[in-house]
Amino acid sequence: MRRWGLLAKEALTQTLTFARFFCLFHVTNHYLWSPTLVFGPSMLPTLNLTGDVILAEYVSHRVGRLGPGDIVFVRSPVDPNKIVTKRIVGVEGDRVTYFKPRNGDSCHTVVVPKGHVWIQGDNLYASRDSRQFGPVPYGLIEGKAFFRVWPPNSFGSLG
Amino acid sequence: MGLKPDPIIILTLIEENAADSVPQLTKPERETREQTQGKKREREMRRWGLLAKEALTQTLTFARFFCLFHVTNHYLWSPTLVFGPSMLPTLNLTGDVILAEYVSHRVGRLGPGDIVFVRSPVDPNKIVTKRIVGVEGDRVTYFKPRNGDSCHTVVVPKGHVWIQGDNLYASRDSRQFGPVPYGLIEGKAFFRFFNGIQRRSFMLVKEVQHGLHDRPVVCGHLIALDHWDNERCNSY
């Protein structure tokens, strides 16, 4: 019986160590920075089609230091299980002019409402962004991309 | 946590006590005294080292506790204080402590009738408490109390929910800022801690969630979802 007790105690200690490590790892990945894999055509030529490993940081959007030109990770307003990578074009109060490539040559202008941002992919011809689903509430922003780690020939900071 | 007594420290202490009791110093005794002083410095350095190690251990313990506490509060459940007039009579004006759980919205098990915490689309630093009235695809009919008697009907787009406060006359909700993306939902309220003033308060949340059909449906006072009995609405 004592052997089982010791075994249980050992298992509990190992589990606790694992849980503690997991917690530290998780808090870092959620509140500081983490590597992320991004892929898709909507941010060409900035990000590759077949995939980049990018360092995302999770501090800027909490202290409100995001502005036009930042590449951000946003939870999609049309599919809450998906996170998309786009660039902020306008913040609240900005007047944004855009066009939809397949809808003729007409330009539209909107004023970004309070508490929202206007995001667009760098590749306007193959990107579903605010031109389709409108300005996105600021609360949906998950993080900001600031450094690219892979592929090694484009290692370096992202604008 | 417990420090093992360092045998070298004990020996050094004994040596020092022995050296201090000698009144006059000959040359070999002077050398011994210098050695003892050197060992004293070493002992102090080691004491600082141990202190630093102790501080680090305490900090790590605190960090681990904080991490566990934080992960629980963020992914499982946590008590929250809510106040304001927009959810009367369900929630009190002056404040309720509610248990919020953070599992349902991640697995997609939220539906009409749930009281949820939502990050406000107009102020990302604020979290509001409202009830889900319609999910994506639902047709929602509402009215704005101060804008006359006209009813409006919308279909909730994909990936969004329609939220409203229980107190329609004092609530800023989807009637003002439109349907809210599902990703802004932070958690779901499921339990209220015992409130001394209202003895039945802990039952009230469940009652209102599932008892909407028992209330008289007054068009212009409550919301009508598409599958409700429209005839009852017309007869008032």
Side-chain angles (χ1 to χ4, degrees):
Chain A
M1 281 287 297
R2 193 173 294 158
R3 206 184 297 164
W4 281 115
L6 283 172
L7 207 66
K9 204 184 220 177
E10 173 85 14
L12 186 65
T13 315
Q14 294 293 346
T15 311
L16 277 182
T17 311
F18 177 76
R20 286 189 215 123
F21 169 73
F22 172 76
C23 281
L24 266 171
F25 179 73
H26 162 79
V27 168
T28 306
N29 267 18
H30 203 80
Y31 287 95
L32 296 177
W33 58 77
S34 80
T36 327
L37 176 69
V38 299
F39 57 92
S42 66
M43 285 293 286
L44 286 168
T46 315
L47 305 178
N48 292 329
L49 173 68
T50 43
D52 282 341
V53 176
I54 289 186
L55 273 184
E57 57 102 342
Y58 303 105
V59 177
S60 295
H61 75 98
R62 290 181 205 278
V63 295
R65 293 181 57 90
L66 284 183
D70 290 336
I71 302 178
V72 289
F73 300 94
V74 170
R75 192 165 288 279
S76 166
V78 296
D79 185 359
N81 298 321
K82 234 172 30 166
I83 298 188
V84 297
T85 313
K86 302 282 179 238
R87 196 183 289 271
I88 293 181
V89 170
V91 292
E92 62 188 12
D94 286 350
R95 196 182 303 267
V96 172
T97 306
Y98 67 94
F99 78 104
K100 298 187 188 178
R102 278 171 229 150
N103 280 28
D105 281 335
S106 59
C107 273
H108 306 266
T109 306
V110 295
V111 176
V112 182
K114 188 175 176 317
H116 289 67
V117 294
W118 188 272
I119 56 173
Q120 284 185 197
D122 284 352
N123 183 7
L124 293 178
Y125 299 90
S127 166
R128 284 181 52 93
D129 44 37
S130 285
R131 296 169 296 154
Q132 274 77 32
F133 46 67
V136 164
Y138 190 94
L140 286 178
I141 297 177
E142 303 268 321
K144 172 185 164 187
F146 71 102
F147 202 83
R148 171 161 37 198
V149 171
W150 189 269
N153 60 357
S154 38
F155 185 93
S157 92
L158 291 165
Chain B
M1 278 258 304
L3 299 173
K4 293 204 192 94
D6 197 338
I8 301 181
I9 291 187
I10 294 177
L11 283 175
T12 323
L13 278 169
I14 295 174
E15 272 184 35
E16 182 175 298
N17 285 339
D20 281 343
S21 58
V22 173
Q24 275 179 353
L25 300 175
T26 58
K27 187 158 182 262
E29 282 161 341
R30 232 181 288 133
E31 280 175 358
T32 317
R33 168 144 269 200
E34 281 167 8
Q35 275 178 1
T36 316
Q37 277 175 352
K39 286 207 187 95
K40 196 190 211 173
R41 272 192 289 272
E42 218 179 273
R43 182 167 45 110
E44 266 189 36
M45 291 263 313
R46 196 170 292 139
R47 212 184 277 167
W48 279 115
L50 283 169
L51 208 67
K53 201 187 241 177
E54 173 86 13
L56 187 65
T57 316
Q58 295 291 351
T59 311
L60 275 182
T61 310
F62 177 76
R64 285 189 215 123
F65 169 74
F66 171 76
C67 280
L68 266 169
F69 179 74
H70 162 79
V71 168
T72 307
N73 267 19
H74 203 80
Y75 286 96
L76 295 176
W77 57 77
S78 83
T80 326
L81 177 70
V82 299
F83 57 90
S86 67
M87 285 293 285
L88 288 168
T90 316
L91 304 178
N92 289 330
L93 171 69
T94 43
D96 275 335
V97 176
I98 289 186
L99 262 187
E101 56 99 344
Y102 303 105
V103 177
S104 297
H105 75 100
R106 292 182 204 275
V107 295
R109 291 181 59 89
L110 284 184
D114 290 336
I115 301 179
V116 290
F117 300 93
V118 169
R119 193 166 287 280
S120 166
V122 296
D123 185 357
N125 298 319
K126 230 167 41 159
I127 298 190
V128 297
T129 313
K130 304 284 179 232
R131 195 184 291 273
I132 292 181
V133 171
V135 291
E136 61 188 14
D138 285 351
R139 195 184 306 269
V140 173
T141 306
Y142 67 94
F143 80 105
K144 297 188 189 177
R146 277 172 228 151
N147 282 26
D149 282 333
S150 56
C151 275
H152 306 268
T153 308
V154 296
V155 176
V156 182
K158 188 174 179 312
H160 289 68
V161 294
W162 189 272
I163 56 172
Q164 284 186 200
D166 283 353
N167 183 9
L168 295 177
Y169 300 91
S171 166
R172 286 182 49 96
D173 43 39
S174 284
R175 297 170 296 154
Q176 274 79 30
F177 44 69
V180 165
Y182 190 93
L184 285 179
I185 296 176
E186 304 269 320
K188 171 186 162 188
F190 72 104
F191 190 79
R192 168 163 43 192
F193 285 109
F194 177 72
N195 185 340
I197 298 173
Q198 286 174 273
R199 294 193 176 276
R200 283 181 52 217
S201 60
F202 66 98
M203 288 292 293
L204 203 56
V205 176
K206 219 168 152 200
E207 269 178 29
V208 180
Q209 274 184 18
H210 301 289
L212 279 175
H213 298 285
D214 297 331
R215 294 192 177 183
V217 178
V218 180
C219 189
H221 189 74
L222 278 183
I223 318 307
L225 292 178
D226 202 31
H227 60 270
W228 276 26
D229 190 355
N230 290 324
E231 287 172 358
R232 248 193 290 173
C233 181
N234 290 335
S235 66
Y236 276 84

